[in-house]
Every structure is written in C-alpha cells, then in structure tokens.
Amino acid sequence: MDLATLLQVLDSTVRLATPLLLACLAGLFSERSGVVDIGLEGKMLAAAFASAAVAALTGSVWLGLLAGIVASVLMSIIHGLASITFRGNQLISGVAINFLASGLTVLIAQDLFGQGGRTPSLIGAGRFDPITLPFAEAVSGVPVLGPIYAELISGHSILVYVAFAMVPLSWWILFRTRFGLRLRAVGESPEAVDTAGVSVTGMRYAAVLICGVLCGLAGAYLATGLQAGFVREMTAGRGYIALAALIFAKWRPVYALWACLLFGLLQAVALRYQNIHLGGITIPVQVMDALPYILTVIILAGFVGKAIPPRAGGEPYVKER
C-alpha cells in the first residue's frame, strides 16, 4: 500500500469515526452520571433528519445544525423525564426513543418532501464545506509530512475538528472540574452526593442534556457533512457501535477516541476494499461490510465482564426521607 492509498483510507477513517466519537462522548457523560442511554441511535437519527430538513428548507446549514441539536435535546428531555423524574426503566426508555425516532422521521419526511421518507439532496450553503487549514497548499509538496498535513489533517468540515477537540475538553470537564467530580460521584454514589447538598436530579439532567447536544452534533454531521441529506435509518446502528466503543474504552474520553478510530478504520477498509484476496480465498464484500458489527459483538461479549461501569448506572435514585 503506497502513501497516497494509506492517506485515503485514514482520511475516510477520520470522517467515519467522527459521528461515532461524538455519540460515544455523549454516552460517556450520560452513563458517568448513572443514566444508561440506549437511545443514542434515536437521538442521532432525529438530529440527522431535523438538520437535513431545515437545511433543505432554509438553505442554511447552520440553522440545520441548530435544529438537529434542538431535536436531539428534546429526545434527551423525554429520556430524562422517563428515567430520572418518573424513575422508569432506562433501557426501555432508550429503546422507545429509538423506535420513536425511526418512525417519526420517515413519517414527517414523507409528509414534507414526498420522496419516500428522505429529504432533497443538500447543495451549496446547505452542507458543511471542507476547511483548508493554513499553509496546507504550501507544504503539500514536502515529502511525507506535507501530504499528511494537506490531505489527512486539513480538508475536513468544522464538525470533525469539533469532535476531536471534544476529547480533551471532555477529559478536562470530567476529571479537572468541580462539575465533573460531582457528575462522576452521582454515577458512583448518589446518596453521598445528595448528603453533601448537591442535587442528584439536577446533575443527571445536566448530563442528559450534554448528551443531547453531542448526539445532535453527531446526527447533523451525518446528514450535512458526511452525506448530503437524510435517508431512512441512515444512522445504521452507529449509536449501538458507539455504546460498544464506550464499553471498550472503559468510560474514558481518550480511550474512546482510539476505540472510535478503530471502528472507523474497519468501515473505511470495507468501503475501500470490496473484495480482499487472502491466498486462494476471496473474502466477499458482505463480510467486509459486517466487520464493524462483528467487532461490536466481540467487544460486548469479551469486555462487558472486564469493564466496570459506574456503580449506580441504570438505577433510579430515590431520595431517603
């Protein structure tokens, strides 16, 4: 494999890992507070539709981004009401959100655009354009380092850079701020946090809302950055893959980055190499496409027992009287 081909695969890896990374960090904040969120898939799907629909109607990708975040946050509020306020089963609430988003997006899209549950293709200002970083063209001729900077690091949309910037920011918030300390404490021992005078409900709602914002960014990137519009079920299980990456990363932001890049690499290889020849055996394209999902099952089977989640995860908090 020459350098140009390697850079193309890595470039695709970065693009495909971006929505996974944002969703994984969203789940990180939610689960660190003790709220298990199976509904990442539904939030991303709702955000993808809302962003694409508003961008198609207004011609503004920024209004589309705002609409995607609002749609995802509304889904998060529903999840928060069900699992925090009314102390319902968090897993059932998340699954319900996935079903709600799956049906509602297609229904509204068909009613608005009449294109079989999809939005019109986004063009011009309705999509995020790639950003050329400073000196990218000037250094492109430099051997090795020039193409890496010009073709791999430069040339992505703004949400890609936001996603990667969120990794150190999330680490700093969770492990270097008072808010992060309280958030992690709520996920481990909500009784102790409540005794200290900190609202468990308030902290969990804050985490769920942060989760909604990040899922909104992920869904908006899918529809207005990675692709040019919304199609039915376009998240294609990315929310579940993000949950697997979160478990694999043991609920830590930096590890989450590498886990999402691994999944992104598998997807990039599947897209790039439709049929791989190993000796006298040809691996069919269906196997390559299934690789990320196969890895998801392997990770969940092999690491669930080893990865230790927050102790209060999935348990509604009932204040002692």
Side-chain angles (χ1 to χ4, degrees):
M1 182 184 296
D2 58 9
L3 179 61
T5 303
L6 178 61
L7 289 178
Q8 289 176 0
V9 172
L10 293 178
D11 181 72
S12 296
T13 297
V14 170
R15 297 175 191 273
L16 293 168
T18 295
L20 296 177
L21 179 59
L22 287 168
C24 187
L25 293 175
L28 173 66
F29 276 97
S30 183
E31 296 203 6
R32 277 287 188 172
S33 72
V35 180
V36 175
D37 198 347
I38 302 294
L40 297 178
E41 180 88 359
K43 293 174 186 177
M44 291 171 64
L45 194 61
F49 166 71
S51 60
V54 172
L57 292 172
T58 64
S60 171
V61 69
W62 294 104
L63 289 178
L65 175 62
L66 179 61
I69 293 175
V70 170
S72 179
V73 167
L74 287 176
M75 290 289 185
S76 290
I77 292 174
I78 294 173
H79 182 52
L81 286 172
S83 60
I84 301 173
T85 301
F86 297 111
R87 301 167 189 161
N89 188 292
Q90 297 174 6
L91 297 179
I92 294 177
S93 173
V95 172
I97 286 175
N98 290 340
F99 282 119
L100 176 65
S102 178
L104 202 59
T105 52
V106 175
L107 181 66
I108 298 176
Q110 176 62 23
D111 185 62
L112 285 178
F113 304 106
Q115 297 186 10
R118 61 188 300 161
T119 63
S121 296
L122 302 177
I123 57 175
R127 289 196 66 197
F128 281 107
D129 293 323
I131 298 174
T132 302
L133 297 180
F135 311 111
E137 296 181 359
V139 303
S140 60
V142 178
V144 183
L145 295 180
I148 290 176
Y149 180 72
E151 299 178 24
L152 179 58
I153 299 176
S154 178
H156 299 286
S157 68
I158 188 171
L159 292 184
V160 174
Y161 299 110
V162 168
F164 280 82
M166 281 302 303
V167 175
L169 180 60
S170 298
W171 175 86
W172 180 77
I173 290 174
L174 285 171
F175 296 99
R176 289 295 183 270
T177 67
R178 179 179 296 179
F179 172 81
L181 175 63
R182 290 176 173 177
L183 188 72
R184 289 184 289 121
V186 165
E188 295 291 340
S189 180
E191 298 85 1
V193 175
D194 192 20
T195 303
V198 178
S199 171
V200 173
T201 299
M203 292 302 301
R204 287 188 168 179
Y205 264 109
V208 166
L209 292 178
I210 292 173
C211 174
V213 172
L214 291 174
C215 280
L217 293 174
Y221 173 75
L222 276 177
T224 60
L226 189 62
Q227 299 184 32
F230 174 84
V231 295
R232 181 175 182 174
E233 304 292 350
M234 70 180 304
T235 47
R238 285 182 172 89
Y240 302 111
I241 294 177
L243 283 175
L246 181 61
I247 295 171
F248 187 44
K250 298 182 179 180
W251 292 269
R252 292 183 177 274
V254 178
Y255 294 168
L257 169 62
W258 297 113
C260 292
L261 286 174
L262 174 60
F263 281 106
L265 177 62
L266 290 176
Q267 290 181 329
V269 170
L271 291 174
R272 177 76 183 182
Y273 301 100
Q274 297 294 306
N275 292 289
I276 293 182
H277 302 279
L278 295 177
I281 302 175
T282 300
I283 301 178
V285 61
Q286 291 82 1
V287 174
M288 299 303 299
D289 290 337
L291 272 180
Y293 306 99
I294 294 172
L295 182 62
T296 301
V297 175
I298 293 174
I299 286 176
L300 291 177
F303 286 88
V304 166
K306 299 177 183 178
I308 301 175
R311 284 186 295 178
E315 299 178 2
Y317 176 66
V318 180
K319 186 180 179 67
E320 296 182 359
R321 298 184 181 278

